């Protein structure tokens, strides 16, 4: 089938369910939210669920257009702040922006990540470090900064990180990405134990294949179709399907869950 996002030769996804007020009044910060991937989808879902939202991304120009689109789709306009998660100064500025624009942070959604495909024998130190700096180190910085602010607030909170099934499943040419995502899983579990005494929960999702326009531009169409066939539903997840699980983990419905890695996948070995 043809769409504005390109050809998707797999079954139609279901209709996105309506909001249920799961995050009414919550102050939510979402990283890597510009564009049309999981980050912007979770920002959109948070708005639909009644949250006040601050989105961030390294691409400042795309942030404004994303805010315009989210406002048109939901009737609520998120605040925005540029943030490079590899910079501690930027991460601290993001937390300051949350304090200024939202009055604090109740939910932190960490989506920033960097991929790439290269065999380990050909991988340079720079390629390895670039992926880990964004995907693992960036998640650590944002988790640490959010925890510090939430502890100071004294009102609890929730952090949801975005990992990947690659943290469990071996794949050629993905050693750096898989190592980073496995690290996000371990970081999540350890942070959860430390945060529990403060009433703060830390969980993460591990999606398999999620469709978005950038994926179509960077991945061979035949490979995409083959990966989709391996999913039980014969299609990739839509970004909103991953976002819904992230919002669930941030909500009171997941109040007894912490340190969990939730697979958002229909693919099984």
């Amino acid at each position: 089938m043809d769409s504005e996002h390109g050809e998707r030769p797999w079954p139609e996804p279901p209709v996105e369910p309506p909001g249920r007020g799961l995050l009414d009044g919550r102050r939510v910060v979402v990283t890597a939210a510009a564009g049309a991937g999981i980050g912007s989808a979770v920002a959109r879902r948070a708005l639909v669920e009644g949250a006040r939202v601050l989105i961030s991304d390294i691409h400042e120009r795309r942030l404004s257009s994303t805010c315009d689109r989210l406002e048109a789709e939901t009737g609520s306009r998120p605040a925005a702040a540029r943030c490079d998660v590899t910079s501690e100064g930027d991460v601290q500025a993001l937390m300051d922006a949350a304090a200024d624009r939202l009055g604090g942070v109740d939910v932190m959604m960490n989506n920033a990540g960097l991929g790439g495909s290269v065999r380990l024998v050909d991988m340079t130190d720079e390629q390895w470090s670039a992926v880990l700096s964004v995907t693992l180190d960036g998640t650590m910085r944002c988790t640490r900064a959010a925890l510090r602010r939430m502890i100071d607030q004294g009102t609890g909170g929730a952090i949801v990180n975005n990992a990947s099934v690659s943290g469990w499943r071996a794949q050629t040419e993905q050693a750096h990405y898989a190592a980073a995502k496995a690290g996000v899983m371990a970081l999540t579990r350890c942070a959860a134990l430390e945060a529990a005494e403060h009433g703060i929960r830390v969980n993460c999702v591990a999606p398999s294949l999620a469709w978005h326009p950038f994926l179509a531009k960077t991945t061979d169409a035949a490979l995409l179709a083959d990966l989709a066939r391996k999913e039980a539903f014969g299609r990739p997840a839509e970004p909103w399907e991953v976002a819904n699980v992230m919002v669930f983990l941030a909500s009171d419905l997941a109040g007894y869950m912490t340190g969990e890695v939730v697979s958002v996948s229909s693919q099984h070995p």
Side-chain angles (χ1 to χ4, degrees), residues 7 16 30 32 82 97 102 128 137 149 188 241:
E7 187 174 346
E16 183 176 0
V30 186
R82 182 190 178 278
L102 305 180
W128 174 272
D137 298 350
R149 299 298 176 109
T188 296
E241 292 177 299

Side-chain angles (χ1 to χ4, degrees), residues 19-24 26 49-50 244 247-248 250-253:
R20 293 170 168 81
L22 295 181
L23 298 180
D24 271 349
R26 303 292 171 85
E49 296 293 350
N244 285 359
V247 165
F248 160 74
S251 77
D252 292 341
L253 293 180

